[in-house]
Amino acid sequence: MAEQAVELGLDEREDVRARLAAARREILAQALLQHELKDATSEATLRARFEASKDTLARQQIHVRHIIVRLAADADAATRRRARDRANVLYARIIGGEDFELVAREASQGEAGAAHTADMGIIQEGQVHPSFFEAAAALEKDELSKPFETPYGIHVVQALAPVETVSPSFDEVRGRLAADARSEAENRLMSDLETRIPVKRFPEAMPPSDAGTHGDGVSGGGED
């Protein structure tokens, strides 16, 4: 089909030539990126980056179980009061010696998922809402929190193990390290190119902000 298009002279049409030129520029840009950034994501570079950032990659984690009284963010004062009262009753039952799992199971009746378990397993910093993790991480082993609120509802949490700090393995964070390294290297490359290669812009040639955007998120026209 391409050969036939050439035989028909379609490659000389102005609109086709413009599209071919745009495709050529895109291919060349990607080739440059691959050429210039290959060292940024090499195995040796990523491992060096991993060793240098171990402290910042470390995360706290804790094993907890919890009960939630769900509460919409836009709940009115009366609904909030009822939710707090219910959470306080559940808290008092556990403090009074009732089994946590039993209270949690009863509290969840009527909610989706009949096979309820209060055990959340091990949660890491960043996996749950910050206010939830902060409250959980403040607990000693077997300690029960007082009811506290997050955007998802009112919680009663018990720590099943003490909080600990863990560092991920290289393989666990390799993708993240590579993405960060590539982004930084690409920004440096673009900054360098912009200082060396003049770009003339034609604002009057730019399409309206709600039109002319291609699938790759780049607006057409406006530069040479």
Coordinates of all heavy atoms in Angstrom, one line a residue, residues 102-161:
L102 N -15.2 -10.9 67.0 CA -16.6 -11.0 67.2 C -17.3 -9.7 67.1 O -18.3 -9.5 66.3 CB -16.9 -11.7 68.5 CG -18.5 -11.9 68.8 CD1 -19.1 -12.7 67.7 CD2 -18.7 -12.5 70.2
V103 N -16.8 -8.7 67.7 CA -17.4 -7.3 67.7 C -17.3 -6.8 66.3 O -18.2 -6.2 65.7 CB -16.6 -6.4 68.7 CG1 -17.2 -5.0 68.5 CG2 -16.8 -6.9 70.1
A104 N -16.1 -7.0 65.6 CA -15.9 -6.5 64.2 C -16.9 -7.2 63.3 O -17.5 -6.6 62.4 CB -14.5 -6.8 63.8
R105 N -17.1 -8.5 63.5 CA -18.1 -9.2 62.6 C -19.5 -8.7 62.8 O -20.2 -8.5 61.8 CB -18.0 -10.7 62.9 CG -18.7 -11.6 61.9 CD -18.5 -13.1 62.2 NE -17.1 -13.5 62.3 CZ -16.5 -13.8 63.4 NH1 -17.1 -13.9 64.6 NH2 -15.2 -14.2 63.4
E106 N -19.9 -8.5 64.0 CA -21.2 -8.0 64.3 C -21.4 -6.5 63.7 O -22.4 -6.2 63.2 CB -21.5 -8.0 65.8 CG -21.7 -9.4 66.4 CD -22.0 -9.3 67.9 OE1 -22.1 -8.2 68.4 OE2 -22.1 -10.4 68.5
A107 N -20.3 -5.8 63.8 CA -20.3 -4.4 63.4 C -20.5 -4.3 61.8 O -21.0 -3.4 61.3 CB -19.1 -3.6 63.8
S108 N -20.0 -5.3 61.2 CA -20.0 -5.3 59.7 C -21.3 -5.9 59.1 O -21.4 -5.9 57.9 CB -18.8 -6.1 59.2 OG -19.0 -7.5 59.4
Q109 N -22.2 -6.5 59.9 CA -23.4 -7.1 59.4 C -24.2 -6.0 58.7 O -24.4 -4.9 59.1 CB -24.2 -7.7 60.6 CG -23.6 -8.9 61.1 CD -24.4 -9.5 62.2 OE1 -25.4 -8.9 62.7 NE2 -24.0 -10.7 62.7
G110 N -24.7 -6.4 57.5 CA -25.4 -5.5 56.7 C -24.6 -4.8 55.6 O -25.1 -4.2 54.7
E111 N -23.2 -4.9 55.8 CA -22.3 -4.3 54.8 C -22.0 -5.3 53.7 O -22.2 -6.5 53.9 CB -21.0 -3.8 55.5 CG -21.3 -2.7 56.5 CD -20.0 -2.1 57.0 OE1 -18.9 -2.6 56.6 OE2 -20.0 -1.2 57.8
A112 N -21.4 -4.9 52.6 CA -21.0 -5.8 51.6 C -19.9 -6.7 52.1 O -19.0 -6.3 52.8 CB -20.6 -5.0 50.4
G113 N -20.0 -8.0 51.7 CA -19.0 -9.0 52.1 C -19.3 -9.6 53.5 O -18.8 -9.1 54.5
A114 N -20.1 -10.7 53.5 CA -20.5 -11.3 54.8 C -19.3 -11.9 55.5 O -19.2 -12.0 56.7 CB -21.5 -12.3 54.5
A115 N -18.3 -12.5 54.7 CA -17.2 -13.1 55.3 C -16.2 -12.1 55.7 O -15.2 -11.8 55.0 CB -16.5 -14.1 54.3
H116 N -16.4 -11.5 56.9 CA -15.6 -10.3 57.3 C -14.5 -10.8 58.2 O -14.6 -11.7 59.0 CB -16.5 -9.3 58.1 CG -15.7 -8.2 58.7 ND1 -15.4 -7.1 58.0 CD2 -15.2 -8.0 60.0 CE1 -14.7 -6.3 58.8 NE2 -14.6 -6.8 60.0
T117 N -13.3 -10.1 58.1 CA -12.2 -10.3 59.0 C -11.7 -8.9 59.4 O -11.6 -8.0 58.5 CB -11.1 -11.2 58.4 OG1 -10.0 -11.2 59.4 CG2 -10.6 -10.6 57.1
A118 N -11.4 -8.7 60.6 CA -10.9 -7.4 61.1 C -9.4 -7.3 60.8 O -8.9 -6.2 60.8 CB -11.1 -7.3 62.6
D119 N -8.7 -8.4 60.5 CA -7.3 -8.3 60.3 C -6.9 -7.7 59.0 O -7.3 -8.2 57.9 CB -6.7 -9.8 60.4 CG -5.2 -9.8 60.5 OD1 -4.6 -8.8 60.1 OD2 -4.7 -10.8 60.9
M120 N -6.2 -6.6 59.0 CA -5.8 -5.9 57.8 C -4.5 -6.5 57.2 O -4.1 -6.1 56.1 CB -5.7 -4.4 58.0 CG -7.0 -3.7 58.3 SD -6.7 -1.9 58.5 CE -6.4 -1.5 56.8
G121 N -3.8 -7.3 58.0 CA -2.5 -7.7 57.6 C -1.5 -6.6 57.9 O -1.8 -5.7 58.6
I122 N -0.4 -6.7 57.2 CA 0.7 -5.7 57.4 C 0.4 -4.6 56.4 O 0.3 -4.8 55.2 CB 2.1 -6.3 57.1 CG1 2.4 -7.4 58.2 CG2 3.1 -5.2 57.1 CD1 3.7 -8.1 58.0
I123 N 0.3 -3.4 57.0 CA 0.1 -2.2 56.1 C 1.4 -1.3 56.2 O 2.0 -1.2 57.2 CB -1.1 -1.3 56.6 CG1 -1.0 -0.9 58.0 CG2 -2.4 -2.1 56.4 CD1 -2.0 0.1 58.5
Q124 N 1.7 -0.8 55.0 CA 2.9 0.1 54.9 C 2.5 1.5 54.8 O 1.4 1.9 54.3 CB 3.8 -0.4 53.8 CG 4.6 -1.6 54.0 CD 5.7 -1.8 52.9 OE1 5.6 -1.2 51.9 NE2 6.6 -2.7 53.2
E125 N 3.4 2.4 55.2 CA 3.3 3.8 55.1 C 3.0 4.1 53.6 O 3.7 3.6 52.7 CB 4.6 4.4 55.5 CG 4.6 5.9 55.8 CD 5.9 6.4 56.4 OE1 6.8 5.6 56.5 OE2 6.0 7.6 56.6
G126 N 2.0 4.9 53.3 CA 1.6 5.2 52.0 C 0.6 4.4 51.4 O 0.0 4.7 50.3
Q127 N 0.3 3.2 52.0 CA -0.8 2.3 51.5 C -2.2 2.7 51.9 O -3.2 2.3 51.3 CB -0.5 0.9 51.9 CG 0.7 0.2 51.2 CD 0.9 -1.2 51.6 OE1 0.6 -1.6 52.7 NE2 1.5 -2.0 50.7
V128 N -2.2 3.4 53.1 CA -3.5 3.8 53.6 C -3.5 5.3 53.9 O -2.4 6.0 53.7 CB -3.8 3.1 55.0 CG1 -4.0 1.6 54.7 CG2 -2.7 3.3 56.0
H129 N -4.6 5.9 54.3 CA -4.6 7.3 54.5 C -3.6 7.7 55.6 O -3.5 7.0 56.6 CB -6.1 7.8 55.0 CG -6.3 9.2 54.9 ND1 -6.0 10.0 56.0 CD2 -6.7 10.1 54.0 CE1 -6.3 11.3 55.7 NE2 -6.7 11.3 54.5
P130 N -2.9 8.8 55.4 CA -1.9 9.2 56.4 C -2.4 9.3 57.9 O -1.6 8.9 58.8 CB -1.4 10.6 55.9 CG -1.7 10.6 54.5 CD -2.9 9.8 54.3
S131 N -3.6 9.8 58.1 CA -4.1 9.9 59.5 C -4.3 8.5 60.1 O -4.1 8.3 61.3 CB -5.4 10.7 59.5 OG -6.4 10.1 58.7
F132 N -4.7 7.5 59.2 CA -4.9 6.1 59.7 C -3.6 5.5 60.1 O -3.4 5.0 61.2 CB -5.6 5.3 58.6 CG -5.9 3.9 59.1 CD1 -7.1 3.6 59.6 CD2 -4.9 2.9 59.0 CE1 -7.4 2.3 60.0 CE2 -5.2 1.6 59.4 CZ -6.4 1.3 59.9
F133 N -2.6 5.7 59.2 CA -1.3 5.1 59.5 C -0.6 5.7 60.7 O 0.0 5.1 61.6 CB -0.3 5.2 58.3 CG 0.9 4.4 58.5 CD1 0.9 3.0 58.1 CD2 2.1 4.9 59.1 CE1 2.1 2.2 58.3 CE2 3.2 4.1 59.3 CZ 3.2 2.8 58.9
E134 N -0.8 7.0 60.9 CA -0.2 7.7 62.0 C -0.8 7.2 63.3 O 0.0 7.0 64.3 CB -0.4 9.2 61.9 CG 0.2 10.1 63.0 CD -0.1 11.5 62.8 OE1 -0.7 12.0 61.8 OE2 0.2 12.3 63.7
A135 N -2.1 7.0 63.3 CA -2.7 6.5 64.6 C -2.3 5.1 64.8 O -2.1 4.7 66.0 CB -4.2 6.6 64.4
A136 N -2.2 4.3 63.8 CA -1.8 2.9 64.0 C -0.4 2.7 64.4 O -0.1 1.9 65.3 CB -2.1 2.1 62.7
A137 N 0.5 3.5 63.8 CA 1.9 3.4 64.1 C 2.2 3.9 65.5 O 3.3 3.6 66.1 CB 2.7 4.3 63.1
A138 N 1.3 4.7 66.1 CA 1.6 5.2 67.5 C 1.3 4.1 68.6 O 1.5 4.3 69.7 CB 0.7 6.4 67.7
L139 N 0.7 3.0 68.2 CA 0.3 1.9 69.1 C 1.4 1.0 69.4 O 2.2 0.6 68.6 CB -0.9 1.2 68.5 CG -2.2 2.0 68.2 CD1 -3.2 1.1 67.5 CD2 -2.8 2.6 69.4
E140 N 1.4 0.5 70.7 CA 2.3 -0.6 71.1 C 1.6 -1.9 70.7 O 0.4 -1.9 70.4 CB 2.6 -0.5 72.6 CG 3.3 0.8 73.0 CD 4.7 0.9 72.5 OE1 5.3 -0.2 72.2 OE2 5.2 2.0 72.5
K141 N 2.4 -3.0 70.7 CA 1.8 -4.3 70.4 C 0.6 -4.6 71.4 O 0.7 -4.4 72.6 CB 2.8 -5.4 70.6 CG 2.3 -6.8 70.2 CD 3.4 -7.8 70.3 CE 3.0 -9.2 69.9 NZ 1.8 -9.7 70.7
D142 N -0.5 -5.0 70.8 CA -1.8 -5.3 71.5 C -2.5 -4.1 72.0 O -3.6 -4.3 72.5 CB -1.5 -6.3 72.6 CG -1.0 -7.6 72.2 OD1 -1.4 -8.1 71.1 OD2 -0.2 -8.2 72.9
E143 N -2.0 -2.9 71.8 CA -2.7 -1.7 72.3 C -3.9 -1.4 71.4 O -3.8 -1.6 70.1 CB -1.7 -0.5 72.3 CG -2.3 0.7 72.9 CD -1.3 1.9 72.9 OE1 -0.2 1.7 72.5 OE2 -1.7 3.0 73.3
L144 N -4.9 -0.9 72.0 CA -6.2 -0.6 71.2 C -6.3 1.0 71.2 O -6.1 1.6 72.2 CB -7.4 -1.1 72.0 CG -8.7 -1.0 71.3 CD1 -8.8 -1.9 70.1 CD2 -9.9 -1.3 72.3
S145 N -6.6 1.5 70.0 CA -6.7 2.9 69.8 C -8.1 3.3 70.3 O -9.1 2.5 70.2 CB -6.5 3.3 68.4 OG -7.7 3.0 67.6
K146 N -8.2 4.6 70.7 CA -9.6 5.1 70.9 C -10.1 5.4 69.5 O -9.4 5.5 68.5 CB -9.5 6.4 71.7 CG -9.1 6.2 73.1 CD -9.0 7.5 73.9 CE -8.7 7.3 75.3 NZ -8.6 8.6 76.1
P147 N -11.5 5.5 69.3 CA -12.0 5.8 68.0 C -11.5 7.1 67.4 O -11.3 8.1 68.1 CB -13.5 6.0 68.3 CG -13.8 5.1 69.5 CD -12.5 5.3 70.4
F148 N -11.1 7.0 66.2 CA -10.6 8.2 65.5 C -11.1 8.2 64.0 O -11.5 7.2 63.5 CB -9.0 8.2 65.4 CG -8.4 7.1 64.6 CD1 -8.1 7.2 63.3 CD2 -8.1 5.9 65.3 CE1 -7.6 6.2 62.6 CE2 -7.6 4.8 64.6 CZ -7.3 5.0 63.2
E149 N -11.1 9.4 63.5 CA -11.8 9.6 62.2 C -10.8 9.9 61.1 O -9.8 10.5 61.2 CB -12.8 10.8 62.3 CG -13.7 11.0 61.1 CD -14.8 12.1 61.4 OE1 -15.1 12.3 62.5 OE2 -15.2 12.7 60.4
T150 N -11.2 9.3 59.9 CA -10.5 9.6 58.6 C -11.6 9.9 57.6 O -12.8 9.8 57.9 CB -9.7 8.3 58.1 OG1 -10.6 7.3 57.6 CG2 -8.8 7.7 59.2
P151 N -11.2 10.3 56.4 CA -12.2 10.5 55.4 C -13.1 9.4 55.1 O -14.2 9.5 54.4 CB -11.4 10.9 54.1 CG -10.1 11.5 54.7 CD -9.9 10.6 55.9
Y152 N -12.8 8.1 55.5 CA -13.5 6.9 55.2 C -14.5 6.5 56.3 O -15.3 5.7 56.1 CB -12.6 5.8 54.9 CG -11.7 6.1 53.8 CD1 -10.3 6.5 54.0 CD2 -12.1 6.1 52.4 CE1 -9.5 6.8 53.0 CE2 -11.2 6.4 51.4 CZ -9.9 6.8 51.7 OH -9.1 7.1 50.7
G153 N -14.3 7.1 57.5 CA -15.2 6.7 58.6 C -14.5 6.9 59.9 O -13.4 7.5 60.0
I154 N -15.0 6.2 60.9 CA -14.5 6.2 62.3 C -13.9 4.8 62.6 O -14.6 3.8 62.4 CB -15.5 6.6 63.3 CG1 -16.1 8.0 62.9 CG2 -14.9 6.7 64.7 CD1 -17.2 8.4 63.8
H155 N -12.7 4.8 63.0 CA -12.0 3.5 63.2 C -11.6 3.2 64.7 O -11.4 4.1 65.4 CB -10.6 3.5 62.4 CG -10.8 4.0 61.0 ND1 -10.8 3.1 59.9 CD2 -10.9 5.2 60.4 CE1 -10.9 3.8 58.8 NE2 -11.0 5.0 59.1
V156 N -11.6 1.9 65.0 CA -11.0 1.4 66.2 C -9.9 0.4 65.7 O -10.2 -0.5 65.0 CB -12.0 0.8 67.1 CG1 -11.3 0.2 68.4 CG2 -13.1 1.8 67.5
V157 N -8.7 0.7 66.1 CA -7.5 -0.1 65.6 C -6.8 -0.8 66.8 O -6.6 -0.2 67.8 CB -6.6 0.7 64.8 CG1 -5.4 -0.1 64.3 CG2 -7.3 1.3 63.6
Q158 N -6.3 -2.0 66.5 CA -5.5 -2.7 67.5 C -4.2 -3.2 66.7 O -4.3 -3.8 65.7 CB -6.2 -3.9 68.1 CG -5.3 -4.6 69.2 CD -6.0 -5.7 69.9 OE1 -6.7 -6.5 69.2 NE2 -5.9 -5.9 71.2
A159 N -3.1 -2.9 67.3 CA -1.8 -3.3 66.8 C -1.5 -4.8 67.2 O -1.6 -5.1 68.3 CB -0.6 -2.4 67.3
L160 N -1.2 -5.6 66.2 CA -0.9 -7.0 66.4 C 0.6 -7.3 66.5 O 1.0 -8.4 66.9 CB -1.6 -7.9 65.4 CG -3.1 -7.8 65.3 CD1 -3.6 -8.7 64.2 CD2 -3.7 -8.1 66.6
A161 N 1.4 -6.3 66.1 CA 2.8 -6.3 66.2 C 3.3 -4.9 66.3 O 2.7 -4.0 65.9 CB 3.4 -7.0 65.0

